[in-house]
Amino acid sequence: MSALKYLSGYPAPVLDQVSAAISAKTLGQYLLGKYPDTHNIKTNKSLYDYVIDMKNRHLRQSSPLSKVLYDDKLDVLHNALGLHSYVSRVQGSKLKAKNEMRIGSVFKTAPEAFLNMIVVHELAHLKEKDHNKSFYKLCTHIQPDYHQLEFDVRVYLTYLEIFGDLY
């Protein structure tokens, strides 16, 4: 079951269903049935606007984001799909801190729901640094179907690894 590395924490019956869909070559049909279209947020500028709009709707009081961009090397280097970093710089005698968000470029051609889930995940890190109960509570507050979308993103990544591009 090394092909199911993105789904490793899920129970055996779920893994069996995904394995059966892979064997029957119906995993793509499942994903296209639920998410038939991709988004048009292809540039770093449009991604920045999208993230800032979502942040302003849900996390107005959180610290500002100085940079938001797609990152081609993110998955390879950090084994992550999105990355929120807190960068400190010395400016004169003061220490300036900036929040940056990088989204894996695999989401340039994904459905908007998947991009939305990753953005929600990274925005939640503005308030909660660790993946704990309050972190996931914040994620589901912003996006009520967060856990289903996270599962579907993992299924999508499994599909990409086995079969290649879907969209």
Side-chain angles (χ1 to χ4, degrees), residues 36-86:
D37 300 318
T38 62
H39 59 80
N40 58 1
I41 304 164
K42 306 290 185 206
T43 66
N44 288 335
K45 171 77 172 110
S46 59
L47 178 64
Y48 180 83
D49 294 340
Y50 180 79
V51 170
I52 294 302
D53 179 56
M54 188 178 295
K55 179 189 172 302
N56 289 339
R57 275 186 282 135
H58 299 287
L59 298 170
R60 266 174 280 177
Q61 299 298 318
S62 64
S63 41
L65 285 167
S66 63
K67 186 188 290 188
V68 177
L69 53 94
Y70 285 113
D71 192 341
D72 294 332
K73 299 176 183 129
L74 190 62
D75 190 35
V76 176
L77 293 177
H78 299 282
N79 199 18
L81 304 172
L83 184 67
H84 169 259
S85 55
Y86 189 73

Side-chain angles (χ1 to χ4, degrees), residues 1 4 13-27 163:
M1 291 223 182
L4 301 179
V14 172
L15 298 178
D16 292 342
Q17 281 184 318
V18 174
S19 294
I22 290 169
S23 298
K25 295 190 177 3
T26 59
L27 198 58
F163 299 108

Side-chain angles (χ1 to χ4, degrees), residues 27-29 31 154-166:
L27 198 58
Q29 294 170 351
L31 290 166
R154 291 172 182 275
V155 169
Y156 174 64
L157 294 171
T158 301
Y159 180 90
L160 289 179
E161 187 173 281
I162 295 171
F163 299 108
D165 291 339
L166 180 62

Side-chain angles (χ1 to χ4, degrees), residues 117-129:
M117 191 279 305
I118 292 298
V119 169
V120 165
H121 182 96
E122 298 306 323
L123 283 175
H125 279 304
L126 290 174
K127 292 271 188 191
E128 289 289 332
K129 301 299 182 208

